[in-house]
Amino acid sequence: MNKTEIMERYTEWKDAANLPADLKNELQAMTDDFNAIADAFSTSLSFGTAGMRGVIGAGTNRMNIYTVRQATEGLAKLMETLPAADRDRGVVISFDPRYNSRLFAHEAARVLGAHGIKSYVFDDIRPTPELSFAVRHLHTYAGIMITASHNPKQYNGYKIYGPDGGQMPPKESDLMTTYVRQVTDLFAIPVAVEPDLREQDLLQIVGEDVDVAYLDQIKTVNVNHDLIQTVGKDLKFVYTPLHGTGKIIARRALSDAGFQNYDVVVPQTIADPEFPTTPFPNPEFPQTFDLAIELGNQEDADVLIATDPDADRLGAAVRQPDGKYQLMTGNQIASVLLDYILKAKQAANELPEDGMVVKSIVSTELATDITNHYGVTMKNVLTGFKFIAEQIQLAEVNHDHTFLFGFEESFGYLIKPFVRDKDAIQSTMLLAEVAAYYKQQGKTLYDGLQALYEQYGYFEEATISEEFSGLDGQETMANLMKNFRAHPLTEFNGVAVVAQEDFQTSVKTAANGTEAPIDLPQSNVLKYWLADGTWLAIRPSGTEPKIKFYVGIKADSQAKANERLKSYIAAINHDLLQK
C-alpha cells in the first residue's frame, strides 16, 4: 500500500461519523506522524496460528470495535452458508480482563444478532479453555474468545473456535478470512441493539451453569484421588492467576480436588488490565514469578504455579536442593506430566494399546523417548494447538487412537479432551498431584525431572525470538526465510546437517539428496536434523512480528547438555541472525 492509499484510509477513519471519543482523539494525535499512521493503516490484522491479535487502538491494523465487527461479520457470512441446523446452533463468546474485552465480546454478539444468529455471552471473565469447553457443552457452531493471552497490556485479540471446540483449522479460517476481506466498509457493518436481542432470544447470558459443568469434568483429570487426600491435602504450594481468569475457576477446582494447603499471590488475584505487578504476564518469564517466589520462601512451598491471564498456559517453579526456586521450561513440565500419566495408567492396567500423545514439531524429543518406553504412539503436528485438537477429532472419528496427552513447548498442555485447547486449569490440577506423588517419596518435582534425565538422557531446549517491527518488518522476515531456502544449511555449529524438513514444500531432504513427503499441512517452517542428534527449527510467528529459532539437544550429562546448548544458542545469534 502506497502513501496515498494509506492517507486515504486514515482520512476515511478520521472523518467517520459517530467515532468513539478515544479513537477520534488517537487519530487526531497522529495527524503529523506518518509513521504512526502507516503502522496503524498500511495493513489489516490477519488470522494466524492463534487468531487475530494486535495493539488496541485506532486503525485497520489495531484491535478496536470496527476490526472486531469486521471479523465477526466474516464469521456471520460464513455461517449464513451453512445448513439452518448448524447456523441455528449459534456462537458462544467469552472474554478476559483486558481493556475493552467485555466491549469487544458484546460488539461481536451485536453483529451476530444483526444476522439473526444467536450468541451465548459469559457474564464475566472466563478462561479460554472454558470457552472451548462451552462450545462443546452448548453445542454451538463456533466460539469467540476475546483475549491476547500472555501479551503485554497494550494488546488484545480475537480467537475463533470451531464446532469441535478447537481453534478454527486453516481451511475454515482461510474461508472466514475471505469473507472478512470482503467487508470493505468497516463503518457500515450492521449491529443490533442488545435489549432487542434479549427480547428476541438472540442473546443469552451464561456463567455459573457452564462453570459447574466444566468443573464436573475437571474432577476427572486427577489420577490418584487417594494420593491427594493423604498427601495432596498437606502439599504446600503457591498459585497465582497473574491478574487473569484463573482466579474464577482454578481455586474452586483445587478445592474440589482436595488441595487445601496452598497460598495465592493476593495482589495478582485482582483482575487488572494494567498487570501492575508484572508487565509481561507470561509464565515463561522469570520475573513473572517474583511475587510467587517471595511468598513461596515465606511459606516454604514445594512448588509455585502460575497461569497466564486467559488461563490456557501454565508455568511452574520448583524448589531445588539448595532451597532456591528454579523455573521449569514448558518442555520439562510436559515431560513430567506425561511420564506420570503413562506410569499411572500402566500401573493400573489402564494403558490402552492404541494410546496416542500429540506434540508440536518444535517441542522436546524427551517426550518421544517417554512414549516409546511405554509403547505409546507419538504424533507430531505443526505449531498451534488447533492441530492437536484436529488429531483428537480424527482419532475419535476413525476410532484408531485413544488420546492421552497433548502439549506445546510454549507452556500449553491438555490432559482430557473435553477441552480442545491448552488448558492451564487441568494442568494445575495434575501438576499439583504429580508434586504430591514425589512428596510422598520424599522428593520434589525437581528430583522427578532429574530421574527422567537419568533414564532417557539430558535434554535441553531453547527458543530465540528476533523481532522485526515497523513497516518493513514483514518484508524482512519474508526475505530472511527466502534466504534460508535459497542457501540450505549443510552444516551448523561445526556439525553436519543430515536432513532438512521444509514444511512449506512438504518435503524432507536427506544429506544425500533423497526426498520424502511430509504428511502435514503446508507451513512456513524449516527444520534441520544434525549428526549429533540436535535439531533446529526456524519459524515466523503467526501472531507477532517475530521469527523464532528453536533448538533441541541431548547429551549424557547435565554439564554437557548445558555446554552444547550454550554453543548452539551462540551459533544462532552469530550465524543465522546475521544472514
Side-chain angles (χ1 to χ4, degrees):
M1 182 176 288
N2 60 41
K3 184 174 182 179
T4 300
E5 292 171 325
I6 292 171
M7 291 306 298
E8 286 177 352
R9 184 178 278 186
Y10 165 70
T11 302
E12 178 188 2
W13 276 63
K14 191 177 178 183
D15 294 343
N18 303 316
L19 203 69
D22 59 332
L23 299 184
K24 185 179 287 291
N25 293 337
E26 184 179 344
L27 290 168
Q28 185 63 40
M30 66 173 72
T31 300
D32 299 320
D33 187 348
F34 177 72
N35 286 336
I37 292 173
D39 193 40
F41 289 96
S42 62
T43 187
S44 299
L45 290 178
S46 60
F47 281 83
T49 56
M52 179 175 75
R53 190 178 302 174
V55 173
I56 301 167
T60 56
N61 193 32
R62 297 287 185 266
M63 285 293 300
N64 51 64
I65 61 171
Y66 300 106
T67 52
V68 166
R69 288 177 182 177
Q70 182 187 28
T72 311
E73 181 74 2
L75 174 62
K77 294 284 190 185
L78 171 63
M79 292 182 68
E80 286 182 335
T81 68
L82 302 173
D86 287 333
R87 185 174 62 252
D88 292 346
R89 291 163 63 181
V91 180
V92 59
I93 306 172
S94 186
F95 53 94
D96 72 5
R98 290 175 180 274
Y99 285 115
N100 293 338
S101 284
R102 184 187 295 270
L103 170 65
F104 293 163
H106 284 262
E107 286 294 318
R110 294 176 66 203
V111 172
L112 292 169
H115 288 266
I117 298 172
K118 183 170 183 175
S119 58
Y120 301 82
V121 183
F122 274 91
D123 61 351
D124 207 340
I125 62 173
R126 290 300 193 284
T128 289
E130 186 174 357
L131 182 278
S132 171
F133 169 79
V135 172
R136 299 172 61 79
H137 177 67
L138 298 172
H139 306 290
T140 62
Y141 174 77
I144 297 172
M145 181 71 198
I146 305 297
T147 180
S149 192
H150 56 286
N151 283 73
K153 66 179 182 180
Q154 297 89 349
Y155 287 80
N156 212 324
Y158 182 110
K159 291 183 178 181
I160 289 283
Y161 288 78
D164 69 337
Q167 289 181 38
M168 192 169 281
K171 181 181 178 181
E172 289 78 5
S173 181
D174 290 345
L175 184 58
M176 178 178 158
T177 299
T178 299
Y179 286 111
V180 170
R181 294 295 165 249
Q182 292 174 0
V183 183
T184 55
D185 187 351
L186 274 63
F187 303 106
I189 298 170
V191 290
V193 179
E194 279 203 33
D196 292 347
L197 294 179
R198 297 302 301 275
E199 185 175 339
Q200 299 164 28
D201 196 31
L202 287 175
L203 194 162
Q204 180 177 330
I205 302 299
V206 296
E208 179 67 13
D209 50 343
V210 180
D211 294 344
V212 170
Y214 176 64
L215 286 166
D216 281 345
Q217 291 296 317
I218 288 291
K219 292 174 184 176
T220 69
V221 169
N222 289 109
V223 178
N224 189 335
H225 296 279
D226 291 338
L227 174 68
I228 295 173
Q229 295 303 317
T230 56
V231 181
K233 67 183 180 64
D234 296 321
L235 176 70
K236 194 70 175 176
F237 65 96
V238 167
Y239 170 70
T240 172
L242 298 180
H243 300 288
T245 60
K247 64 169 288 184
I248 303 296
I249 293 293
R251 294 166 73 178
R252 289 176 66 177
L254 286 167
S255 177
D256 287 348
F259 294 105
Q260 304 169 11
N261 195 27
Y262 70 94
D263 295 282
V264 295
V265 181
V266 173
Q268 293 179 336
T269 62
I270 300 170
D272 189 338
E274 281 290 313
F275 305 118
T277 66
T278 175
F280 297 99
N282 186 343
E284 181 179 355
F285 295 161
Q287 60 267 39
T288 303
F289 281 84
D290 286 350
L291 292 183
I293 289 173
E294 184 179 320
L295 181 59
N297 284 327
Q298 292 174 10
E299 302 297 333
D300 194 29
D302 299 301
V303 63
L304 316 176
I305 298 174
T307 56
D308 71 342
D310 69 323
D312 63 349
R313 300 177 190 234
L314 172 145
V318 297
R319 188 179 290 279
Q320 297 185 97
D322 62 3
K324 294 181 180 179
Y325 289 103
Q326 172 65 48
L327 262 67
M328 298 177 74
T329 68
N331 284 315
Q332 291 172 338
I333 294 171
S335 298
V336 168
L337 293 176
L338 173 61
D339 180 70
Y340 179 79
I341 291 170
L342 300 185
K343 185 182 297 181
K345 286 186 176 294
Q346 186 181 69
N349 292 317
E350 296 177 355
L351 190 62
E353 292 184 2
D354 63 352
M356 174 186 76
V357 173
V358 191
K359 74 175 184 67
S360 69
I361 58 174
V362 295
S363 297
T364 183
E365 288 301 312
L366 172 56
T368 303
D369 285 2
I370 292 172
T371 55
N372 288 340
H373 175 77
Y374 288 98
V376 170
T377 298
M378 171 63 80
K379 292 210 170 188
N380 287 279
V381 296
L382 297 175
T383 302
F385 226 87
K386 68 178 78 174
F387 297 110
I388 295 177
E390 186 177 57
Q391 290 299 317
I392 298 172
Q393 187 72 9
L394 286 172
E396 290 182 351
V397 170
N398 297 329
H399 305 288
D400 58 354
H401 287 99
T402 300
F403 175 78
L404 298 174
F405 186 66
F407 78 98
E408 292 184 320
E409 48 75 39
S410 53
F411 295 79
Y413 332 93
L414 179 64
I415 295 100
K416 289 292 187 74
F418 58 83
V419 166
R420 296 298 167 90
D421 202 354
K422 46 191 176 289
D423 188 342
I425 307 301
Q426 289 193 40
S427 307
T428 296
M429 297 303 106
L430 190 62
L431 189 64
E433 180 181 339
V434 178
Y437 168 77
Y438 285 114
K439 187 178 182 68
Q440 186 182 44
Q441 303 172 49
K443 300 177 180 178
T444 67
L445 277 173
Y446 176 83
D447 297 323
L449 180 62
Q450 296 308 307
L452 291 180
Y453 287 154
E454 290 172 10
Q455 181 175 356
Y456 297 104
Y458 291 80
F459 290 77
E460 291 290 344
E461 298 82 21
T463 303
I464 298 94
S465 295
E466 183 73 8
E467 186 166 347
F468 297 87
S469 56
L471 296 179
D472 300 328
Q474 292 296 328
E475 183 179 356
T476 302
M477 290 166 60
N479 287 337
L480 192 60
M481 295 301 293
K482 184 178 180 180
N483 188 48
F484 284 127
R485 289 189 168 91
H487 304 91
L489 295 178
T490 56
E491 66 85 28
F492 182 63
N493 197 29
V495 181
V497 172
V498 297
Q500 172 187 292
E501 293 175 316
D502 189 339
F503 293 88
Q504 187 160 275
T505 61
S506 300
V507 174
K508 180 176 182 177
T509 306
N512 62 6
T514 303
E515 294 184 347
I518 299 173
D519 187 22
L520 288 175
Q522 292 183 334
S523 183
N524 189 15
V525 183
L526 290 167
K527 188 171 183 179
Y528 306 90
W529 297 91
L530 279 62
D532 65 355
T534 298
W535 60 266
L536 170 73
I538 307 172
R539 167 187 165 265
S541 171
T543 55
E544 300 170 288
K546 295 178 179 179
I547 284 186
K548 295 185 176 182
F549 297 83
Y550 304 83
V551 60
I553 62 92
K554 179 181 178 181
D556 56 12
S557 73
Q558 188 66 64
K560 288 181 181 178
N562 292 342
E563 181 182 354
R564 184 175 295 175
L565 182 65
K566 184 178 179 181
S567 172
Y568 274 104
I569 290 174
I572 290 171
N573 287 321
H574 182 270
D575 298 334
L576 299 188
L577 288 176
Q578 306 304 317
K579 291 180 76 73

